[in-house]
Amino acid sequence: MCPWAAIVGEKQDPRTETALVVRAALLERGLGVGGFVHRIVHRPPEPSPPQEAHDLPRWDLELEDLATGERMPYAVNDESRPDVCSLRFAPGVFEIAAGWVEGRGLDVALLGGLGPFEAARHGHWPLVDRLARADRSPLPVLVIRREALTSIALELPGDLVAGLELPADAAAVAAFAAEVARAVGR
């Protein structure tokens, strides 16, 4: 059973930004860090599209591979056909994200944007579960929306080795990164 760490915050807290600061601190310590975070896609207002273009997906979130910087469509706000809340996910996105983590020889896997979908055992949950149950895997650092924390944490078999509750100041973020590095053995 693999230990794990968590960054926990509300929807409006800077979860992605904090994960990126933690990533930078771990890289400075010489750790192999990968995983993914969600990025909001900011678009200027568009004029009304032609009718035939209306059914084309308009991606509102992208998923970023933390090892390569590659980005791909993740989810669109679509209240007419949502998978969860108002989000509809890109086909195959969860399997691609798992490929960004598994088999890469990482020390730490930052898994950004876990929330209600994962709490219901969908989305990125299969990856989280595989990492937590593996004998040897990267240390998962789960970036979790507070509302999903209990449902996710109660299903994980390993021990929580470091936790960071947002909002947090720079000293708390640095201390969290140091705890994660210690848990990996660096």
Side-chain angles (χ1 to χ4, degrees):
M1 305 301 163
C2 187
W4 56 283
I7 299 170
V8 180
E10 300 291 343
K11 184 176 182 175
Q12 71 276 6
D13 286 328
R15 290 170 293 142
T16 294
E17 295 80 0
T18 303
L20 294 174
V21 171
V22 169
R23 175 184 174 265
L26 296 173
L27 288 171
E28 285 179 9
R29 293 173 177 264
L31 294 171
V33 183
F36 49 83
V37 292
H38 301 165
R39 297 286 197 167
I40 296 172
V41 178
H42 297 283
R43 292 182 171 60
E46 297 178 7
S48 296
Q51 188 61 33
E52 60 273 7
H54 183 68
D55 289 334
L56 296 176
R58 182 180 181 275
W59 300 105
D60 296 313
L61 291 171
E62 291 179 334
L63 202 62
E64 180 179 338
D65 181 340
L66 292 176
T68 67
E70 175 186 353
R71 290 188 183 192
M72 67 170 292
Y74 180 64
V76 64
N77 282 305
D78 183 353
E79 293 184 17
S80 69
R81 298 180 294 164
D83 293 317
V84 66
C85 300
S86 64
L87 294 178
R88 182 169 40 94
F89 297 100
V93 69
F94 300 110
E95 294 79 12
I96 292 168
W100 290 349
V101 173
E102 296 176 309
R104 284 198 169 171
L106 301 172
D107 297 310
V108 176
L110 277 161
L111 308 181
L114 306 181
F117 209 42
E118 287 74 22
R121 309 300 173 257
H122 301 292
H124 297 294
W125 175 255
L127 172 63
V128 171
D129 190 53
R130 284 192 304 273
L131 291 176
R133 295 182 188 287
D135 290 330
R136 172 109 169 80
S137 71
L139 177 78
V141 176
L142 310 177
V143 183
I144 307 172
R145 277 182 50 183
R146 188 176 324 283
E147 66 194 62
L149 175 63
T150 302
S151 296
I152 291 172
L154 288 176
E155 292 297 318
L156 297 175
D159 294 327
L160 176 69
V161 294
L164 179 65
E165 187 170 340
L166 300 178
D169 61 22
V173 174
F176 173 79
E179 287 179 58
V180 169
R182 273 193 298 278
V184 174
R186 302 261 178 106

